[in-house]
Amino acid sequence: MSEPHNALDRPKLTFAQKCHTMRGQQIICTIVFLFVPLLLLFTFTYLPFFKMVEFSFFDRDYLRARGFVGLRNYIDVFTRSDCFQALKLSLYYMVGSVVQISLALLFATILSFKVRGSRFFRGALYFPCLICGIAVGFIFKFFLNPGFVLDTLLGWIGIANTPNWLENQAINNIVLVCCSLWKYIGQNIVLFIGAIASVDPVLYEAADLDGANAWQRFKSIIIPSIRTIVVLNLILSISGALSVFEMPYVVTNGTFGTSTYFVVMNKLAHTDMKVGLASAMAVVLLVIIVLVTVIQKLVEKWLDYRENRPHDYGTKEASK
């Protein structure tokens, strides 16, 4: 009787033979299908990013480098009056993003339950998101100009002495924040409505049996159930607040103290041809967005720890 062949005695396959096996063909197909997307990702995302970081250490325009300047561009970001003022101006939009999330959560909670005309209001609130940002900017530019639509409407109700909404530096940035809020709040509302729809209805029924009011249901059921979506919306809104461009660029062209970080960056890169400084501003903005995201995630983990700590303590006491 012949002895069974051991697996170690099998002849080793050559590379060409391995390519003709089922496993080999699966690996080849995977590599081929991944190669083109990864090549495009590297060519149009990572390579430009690394070049931008390289440009930030040079005094250069789009065609030539005038010399290596080290960290001078990064120092200028925090010492030039226009760059630093644009960073401070981002605080207006960050506060506006918090207001936007709060209002979106309120409207989404109301429209998620049986309300007459809820479908109409959902569509109406989301409609501004479908309009091009440049078009929205032109709409508000004519709406807010002195003697135009807003002043006419206020005149009909007896308010005659209206300020110059776009030139008065005490209010023009607040007005632009409100314009951005009108444009983007619908996106947050849709995300919140989808998240609230996934909450188990049994929780609402149990809350009704316990006599919970609307605020208690909102605080104890809705917010804990959709916390992930709330944090995601907050991260997206704050990131968008740091990179506002369309509204101040179209409505005021960055004049009268309304130049946001992106408006200043665009002027430095395309008008003043200071590509190195503009690249440094872009890198600083990326670092700020990453830091804000990390801080938000740490705060979220801390809140989770605060909520779960009493429960864990009670469980340990019960187990004893």
Side-chain angles (χ1 to χ4, degrees):
M1 178 183 291
S2 61
E3 296 181 357
H5 293 286
N6 195 330
L8 297 176
D9 296 335
R10 295 176 182 175
K12 293 185 177 180
L13 299 177
T14 63
F15 178 77
Q17 291 173 331
K18 289 181 179 179
C19 291
H20 285 84
T21 62
M22 179 65 71
R23 180 60 179 169
Q25 291 178 359
Q26 290 177 347
I27 294 175
I28 291 173
C29 289
T30 303
I31 294 175
V32 169
F33 279 100
L34 283 177
F35 176 75
V36 174
L38 290 176
L39 178 63
L40 294 174
L41 179 66
F42 176 78
T43 303
F44 296 104
T45 302
Y46 293 111
L47 183 60
F49 170 75
F50 291 132
K51 296 299 291 185
M52 181 188 69
V53 175
E54 178 188 348
F55 290 168
S56 67
F57 295 102
F58 288 85
D59 178 18
R60 61 168 301 143
D61 55 20
Y62 280 105
L63 299 178
R64 63 190 183 280
R66 302 187 183 96
F68 179 78
V69 296
L71 297 176
R72 193 182 74 186
N73 287 329
Y74 290 95
I75 296 173
D76 288 345
V77 172
F78 296 98
T79 55
R80 285 177 57 113
S81 59
D82 53 352
C83 297
F84 191 67
Q85 180 64 28
L87 274 177
K88 293 194 297 184
L89 186 57
S90 299
L91 295 175
Y92 278 93
Y93 292 90
M94 292 180 70
V95 173
S97 66
V98 176
V99 175
Q100 177 178 315
I101 292 296
S102 303
L103 291 176
L105 191 55
L106 172 64
F107 291 144
T109 303
I110 295 173
L111 297 176
S112 294
F113 299 97
K114 293 181 179 180
V115 178
R116 182 176 297 178
S118 62
R119 293 182 181 273
F120 168 77
F121 287 110
R122 289 183 187 184
L125 290 171
Y126 185 71
F127 178 73
C129 294
L130 303 177
I131 308 175
C132 173
I134 302 296
V136 173
F138 277 111
I139 290 172
F140 279 107
K141 184 174 184 177
F142 291 105
F143 184 78
L144 297 169
N145 267 334
F148 278 68
V149 180
L150 181 58
D151 286 353
T152 302
L153 294 176
L154 293 176
W156 288 351
I157 60 175
I159 302 177
N161 297 322
T162 57
N164 192 319
W165 305 103
L166 301 180
E167 295 184 9
N168 189 336
Q169 297 191 22
I171 61 172
N172 56 2
N173 286 305
I174 298 175
V175 171
L176 291 177
V177 169
C178 294
C179 297
S180 297
L181 189 149
W182 180 85
K183 169 73 171 68
Y184 295 105
I185 192 173
Q187 180 179 350
N188 301 123
I189 292 175
V190 169
L191 291 174
F192 283 142
I193 289 176
I196 293 173
S198 65
V199 179
D200 191 352
V202 175
L203 297 176
Y204 298 125
E205 296 175 2
D208 290 336
L209 292 176
D210 291 338
N213 55 32
W215 167 248
Q216 291 171 334
R217 290 198 301 269
F218 176 77
K219 182 182 68 173
S220 302
I221 298 176
I222 294 177
I223 290 296
S225 300
I226 65 170
R227 175 178 293 174
T228 302
I229 303 300
V230 173
V231 173
L232 174 62
N233 268 332
L234 193 58
I235 292 173
L236 293 176
S237 298
I238 291 180
S239 300
L242 293 170
S243 55
V244 173
F245 176 73
E246 294 172 338
M247 206 62 64
Y249 182 76
V250 176
V251 178
T252 62
N253 197 24
T255 55
F256 308 109
T258 59
S259 290
T260 57
Y261 199 77
F262 259 54
V263 174
V264 174
M265 192 190 309
N266 175 73
K267 179 179 179 296
L268 290 173
H270 300 141
T271 304
D272 300 340
M273 299 301 288
K274 295 181 179 293
V275 177
L277 179 57
S279 300
M281 291 182 67
V283 174
V284 170
L285 179 63
L286 174 64
V287 173
I288 293 174
I289 291 175
V290 171
L291 287 176
V292 170
T293 304
V294 170
I295 291 172
Q296 287 178 331
K297 296 300 291 183
L298 291 176
V299 171
E300 182 187 9
K301 289 183 179 180
W302 179 73
L303 292 174
D304 288 338
Y305 172 75
R306 287 286 301 271
E307 287 186 0
N308 295 329
R309 184 174 56 181
H311 179 267
D312 294 340
Y313 177 78
T315 303
K316 292 178 181 178
E317 291 295 325
S319 63
K320 292 180 180 180

